[in-house]
Amino acid sequence: MNEPLAQRLRPKTLADVCGQQHLLAPGRVFRRTIESGKIPNMIFYGPSGTGKTTVARIIAENSGMTLHKLNGTSCGTGDIKAVLKDIGTLAGAGGILLYLDEIQYLNKKQQQSLLECMEDGTVTLIASTTENPYFYIYNALLSRATVFEFKPLTPEDVRRGLENALHKLEELDGVRIEAQPEALDALAAACGGDMRKALGSLEFAVAGAAETDGAKRLTTEAVRK
């Protein structure tokens, strides 16, 4: 099964992430904190496709802690308890980091089950949500975490991501791609600040692009169609 382009090209470092420079630019408090290795409990709040999951994965993979990933749309209290069983064991000796996507879908009882381990530091939580956390997340959990807002990407941010994606597509798939600058501008403007949507559209457009002289040609007309 082929992975979606957004998954295949997910950035590996904070420097590779497009946008969110109010958090990720060198010298910003958020970035300095992450690079210090002392990871606090955090909640990432913002629209889809703005890098919340990507940044959380980068932090988790470089933390040295045992990583557990859950999604609020599908996990239950039993899944959370299974993570907590690693506390005090060899598997959790370096610390436990729980990445919880779409936390807004957990009910109050499920969110409360995390409080004690967050309080004593045995589990570090990084959660993400597309909904306002001050309405959808239990107050006691909010008091133990810091909320960071992820903003919609600008067309310039998305354009940079599309250019990077084209270069990586050529390397990964062994195909030459010639894209009209206006075609990338059109894609960047049409995605509403959602990088995942932009990359999905790019993948579709490249797959259907006409090929001449051994190169796929991505035109503005094809993108608009």
Side-chain angles (χ1 to χ4, degrees):
M1 181 177 67
N2 291 328
E3 284 186 311
L5 185 60
Q7 183 67 22
R8 293 170 65 196
L9 303 185
R10 195 180 290 278
K12 298 293 190 294
T13 69
L14 295 179
D16 293 333
V17 177
C18 295
Q20 311 311 331
Q21 292 305 292
H22 63 295
L23 300 175
L24 303 180
R28 296 289 185 176
V29 172
F30 178 90
R31 182 159 173 176
R32 291 207 312 269
T33 299
I34 299 308
E35 291 177 341
S36 75
K38 298 177 181 178
I39 311 301
N41 296 307
M42 296 181 286
I43 297 170
F44 296 165
Y45 158 54
S48 297
T50 54
K52 301 187 301 299
T53 299
T54 294
V55 171
R57 286 177 183 270
I58 291 170
I59 293 170
E61 289 168 2
N62 290 279
S63 68
M65 293 185 277
T66 299
L67 173 64
H68 292 272
K69 304 172 187 176
L70 296 176
N71 190 295
T73 61
S74 57
C75 79
T77 304
D79 299 297
I80 296 173
K81 288 181 178 178
V83 172
L84 303 186
K85 285 181 180 178
D86 274 355
I87 296 174
T89 68
L90 185 61
I96 297 171
L97 193 150
L98 172 59
Y99 171 51
L100 183 51
D101 198 12
E102 304 291 0
I103 190 175
Q104 74 270 17
Y105 289 105
L106 295 187
N107 60 38
K108 183 176 179 180
K109 182 178 180 181
Q110 291 169 328
Q111 292 186 33
Q112 285 177 317
S113 67
L114 297 166
L115 295 178
E116 184 177 349
C117 59
M118 290 174 63
E119 184 73 35
D120 62 21
T122 51
V123 171
T124 299
L125 175 71
I126 299 180
S128 65
T129 177
T130 55
E131 303 293 343
N132 190 324
Y134 299 101
F135 291 107
Y136 286 87
I137 297 179
Y138 185 48
N139 284 337
L141 192 150
L142 278 176
S143 73
R144 291 163 173 79
T146 303
V147 177
F148 294 97
E149 182 178 4
F150 280 57
K151 300 177 180 179
L153 302 181
T154 66
E156 291 75 21
D157 293 331
V158 178
R159 172 64 188 263
R160 176 190 162 202
L162 291 173
E163 290 173 348
N164 292 340
L166 282 177
H167 294 313
K168 290 181 180 178
L169 265 179
E170 289 181 317
E171 293 175 5
L172 292 171
D173 297 342
V175 60
R176 188 158 55 93
I177 304 170
E178 296 180 357
Q180 291 181 345
E182 296 81 3
L184 296 183
D185 290 338
L187 274 175
C191 71
D194 185 331
M195 184 65 78
R196 187 184 298 108
K197 179 179 179 181
L199 291 175
S201 298
L202 177 67
E203 185 174 30
F204 190 91
V206 168
E211 186 170 341
T212 55
D213 298 327
K216 291 213 167 193
R217 302 187 185 281
L218 190 61
T219 65
T220 306
E221 182 181 4
V223 165
R224 287 175 176 162
K225 286 182 178 179

